[in-house]
């Protein structure tokens, strides 16, 4: 019996993302054809592909800074806005560099 091990970046994708990738591959990477399949515009498909690429890149980057990867994932999944994500990441880096520890009251 073979054990199937999927890469982390693939495990972190939603079912919708995997279906999109499959359709993208079957369409030979044609964004125009994918737009027709989904009934949306080319820029909409391009945006979806760009976000998918960002998700994969974040998964690859996850091992070095899990907190930053979490914040980026939340922003990509529209759980927080990008400006908030930038602030959180910036403050995290500042605190980490300075070695400051905050206590919760």
């Amino acid at each position: 019996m073979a054990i199937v091990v999927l890469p982390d970046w693939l495990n972190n994708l939603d079912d919708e993302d995997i279906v999109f990738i499959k359709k993208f591959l079957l369409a030979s990477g044609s964004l125009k054809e994918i737009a027709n399949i989904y009934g949306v515009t080319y820029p909409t498909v391009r945006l979806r592909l760009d976000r998918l690429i960002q998700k994969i890149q974040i998964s690859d980057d996850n091992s070095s800074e899990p907190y930053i990867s979490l914040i980026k994932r939340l922003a990509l999944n529209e759980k927080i806005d990008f400006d908030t994500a930038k602030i959180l990441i910036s403050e995290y880096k500042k605190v980490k560099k300075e070695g400051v520890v905050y206590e919760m009251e």
Side-chain angles (χ1 to χ4, degrees):
M1 176 181 261
I3 297 175
V4 177
V5 179
L6 297 175
D8 287 338
W9 67 266
L10 190 56
N11 283 328
N12 291 328
L13 298 179
D14 300 330
D15 290 342
E16 286 181 24
D17 295 333
I18 294 170
V19 169
F20 180 85
I21 290 171
K22 180 180 179 183
K23 288 181 180 183
F24 180 73
L25 292 174
L26 293 174
S28 299
S30 169
L31 295 180
K32 185 177 178 181
E33 188 173 333
I34 294 298
N36 288 333
I37 291 170
Y38 280 98
V40 297
T41 63
Y42 177 93
T44 301
V45 172
R46 182 74 241 178
L47 179 63
R48 173 127 189 230
L49 181 61
D50 289 342
R51 287 201 170 162
L52 188 53
I53 289 167
Q54 289 174 335
K55 278 186 179 182
I56 292 169
Q57 289 172 334
I58 287 171
S59 292
D60 284 346
D61 191 32
N62 193 21
S63 60
S64 61
E65 292 287 348
Y67 177 78
I68 292 174
S69 295
L70 170 65
I71 298 301
K72 288 179 179 179
R73 267 196 316 277
L74 290 172
L76 283 173
N77 292 327
E78 299 178 355
K79 303 294 183 190
I80 61 173
D81 62 83
F82 282 101
D83 290 333
T84 302
K86 287 179 191 177
I87 292 167
L88 289 171
I89 290 170
S90 174
E91 289 300 312
Y92 171 77
K93 286 180 177 179
K94 196 183 311 179
V95 168
K96 188 174 177 184
K97 182 178 179 182
E98 295 171 0
V100 177
V101 177
Y102 291 104
E103 292 185 23
M104 301 294 289
E105 293 183 24

